Amino acid sequence: MIRFEVGTEDLLHSRFAISPAFELDSLLRRLDRGGRLPVASAARLRPAFEGLRRHTELDAVLALQAGWMGADFLAPPPAGLAQTWEDDLATIRATPLAQARAEIAGCLAARPISDPRALALLDAPDAVPRLAEALDHAWRTLMAPDWLQLRALCERDVVHRAGVLGRAGWAAAIADLHTSVRWHEDGIEVSGMGAEQKVIPLAGSGLLLVPSAFNWPRAATYTSGEWPKTLIYPARGIAVLWEHPAPSPPGALADLIGRSRARILLALESPAGTTHLARTLGMTTGAVGDHLAVMRRAGLVDRARDGRVVLYARTAVGDALAASALTA
């Protein structure tokens, strides 16, 4: 178990962030080790991954994923919720060669490799830009097609957590993150991290909280290296992507209110903003706004402001309609 000791200053400095680079790192680990993948994406991701291994220098990246270790410079810590892949890629490319060589040596000591092509790249003076190029190919091939939807789920998660924090405080917000995480005696405890308890003072720097799509279903921590002290947890609603393909709206509901409005109503299992819904469903923001306005007049959804964000939620009538459609 890991226990983060939390003081007053830590509560003030803790924050949420989204990490595209960590998501790519997690996806590559699953693909390399034959791990489970989201149902709707598995058929596309595995052949695409094998193609990248044949036609790019991705194997050199994979060589640095030693167990749960990795080269920190290939997955830099996010600055905040607005983090983009372009931000991460620029940081990776700016890594000093001496830092990269030290981290590469540590990874290879933990898991030696014999692939001559990967070893040659990792020893080359242009190793950093070549590794960055391989990661960029992987991002554009594997992650980019789904990233708007995945990012929307992570952003919706943060909006939900912020609401819990505002209504009930840190203890409730932490307890709501994951079954392995709890607030206990002025500390955050994460179980499933080894038999012995490891105590880590946050020392006024706070905790970085990162929702994830590809770390599902477990929580993870960063407690050393370049990252700040970090807790990574599965974003709310992400389990649906892992357990079921994206459902089409049931025929009767779609016939009654239209296919697009049915998709929006079913997506409002938890409150969401117009932009988040548009990204999740692959629709334009304007179209989602128009459909929400119609459903609001019909009494199926209502809206409320949460800070600067307007959130839509199903009414009791909308809940009953969605529930009856899903059980039909």
Side-chain angles (χ1 to χ4, degrees), residues 53 59-60 62-64 107-122:
R53 293 190 67 178
D59 277 356
L62 302 177
L64 300 179
C107 291
L108 295 182
R111 191 181 74 165
I113 64 168
S114 57
D115 180 353
R117 185 170 173 235
L119 286 170
L121 185 155
L122 295 174

Side-chain angles (χ1 to χ4, degrees), residues 28-76:
L28 290 175
R29 289 173 185 268
R30 286 183 181 268
L31 287 164
D32 188 34
R33 298 167 193 179
R36 189 177 174 190
L37 295 168
V39 174
S41 304
R44 174 181 66 84
L45 290 172
R46 293 199 188 281
F49 174 70
E50 293 303 327
L52 286 167
R53 293 190 67 178
R54 288 192 300 270
H55 302 300
T56 73
E57 296 181 303
L58 184 61
D59 277 356
V61 173
L62 302 177
L64 300 179
Q65 295 181 336
W68 288 107
M69 284 182 56
D72 283 345
F73 78 94
L74 296 182

Side-chain angles (χ1 to χ4, degrees), residues 24-320:
L24 179 60
D25 181 86
S26 298
L27 174 58
L28 290 175
R29 289 173 185 268
R30 286 183 181 268
L31 287 164
D32 188 34
R33 298 167 193 179
R36 189 177 174 190
L37 295 168
V39 174
S41 304
R44 174 181 66 84
L45 290 172
R46 293 199 188 281
F49 174 70
E50 293 303 327
L52 286 167
R53 293 190 67 178
R54 288 192 300 270
H55 302 300
T56 73
E57 296 181 303
L58 184 61
D59 277 356
V61 173
L62 302 177
L64 300 179
Q65 295 181 336
W68 288 107
M69 284 182 56
D72 283 345
F73 78 94
L74 296 182
L81 293 172
Q83 191 84 3
T84 67
W85 170 245
E86 289 70 27
D87 296 330
D88 286 331
L89 188 60
T91 301
I92 294 168
R93 285 177 169 154
T95 304
L97 182 58
Q99 176 189 337
R101 288 206 184 286
E103 293 186 19
I104 289 169
C107 291
L108 295 182
R111 191 181 74 165
I113 64 168
S114 57
D115 180 353
R117 185 170 173 235
L119 286 170
L121 185 155
L122 295 174
D123 193 46
D126 59 349
V128 170
R130 290 168 67 183
L131 289 167
E133 184 69 15
L135 281 171
D136 193 35
H137 279 298
W139 174 269
R140 288 185 277 114
T141 301
L142 301 173
M143 286 289 290
D146 300 321
W147 181 241
L148 285 180
Q149 289 80 7
L150 295 175
R151 185 180 191 100
L153 281 169
C154 291
E155 289 173 341
R156 287 177 67 177
D157 174 275
V158 173
V159 171
H160 167 77
R161 309 293 175 192
V164 174
L165 180 61
R167 292 190 304 272
W170 273 105
I174 292 299
D176 190 48
L177 289 177
H178 191 262
T179 55
S180 68
V181 181
R182 69 168 183 163
W183 180 277
H184 182 64
E185 296 180 351
D186 296 326
I188 298 168
E189 296 180 348
V190 187
S191 60
M193 300 288 169
E196 295 184 3
Q197 178 172 300
K198 183 179 180 181
V199 178
I200 300 170
L202 295 179
S205 297
L207 189 64
L208 185 65
L209 300 161
V210 180
S212 173
F214 285 101
N215 203 56
W216 185 87
R218 62 177 64 85
T221 60
Y222 269 96
T223 59
S224 60
E226 294 297 315
W227 280 58
K229 304 298 185 293
T230 303
L231 175 60
I232 299 165
Y233 62 91
R236 275 170 56 91
I238 209 69
V240 173
L241 299 181
W242 288 87
E243 295 171 347
H244 307 286
S248 297
L253 180 61
D255 290 343
L256 179 65
I257 64 174
R259 178 179 172 81
S260 295
R261 289 171 194 160
R263 293 179 68 208
I264 293 170
L265 189 67
L266 294 178
L268 283 172
E269 184 178 358
S270 58
T274 306
T275 301
H276 294 165
L277 286 168
R279 290 177 176 174
T280 302
L281 299 172
M283 300 168 65
T284 66
T285 304
V288 170
D290 291 343
H291 290 310
L292 286 168
V294 172
M295 289 193 288
R296 185 166 177 255
R297 291 197 298 271
L300 301 182
V301 302
D302 205 350
R303 67 182 183 183
R305 182 170 294 278
D306 189 345
R308 293 180 296 176
V309 179
V310 175
L311 297 180
Y312 288 84
R314 293 194 300 235
T315 62
V317 175
D319 277 337

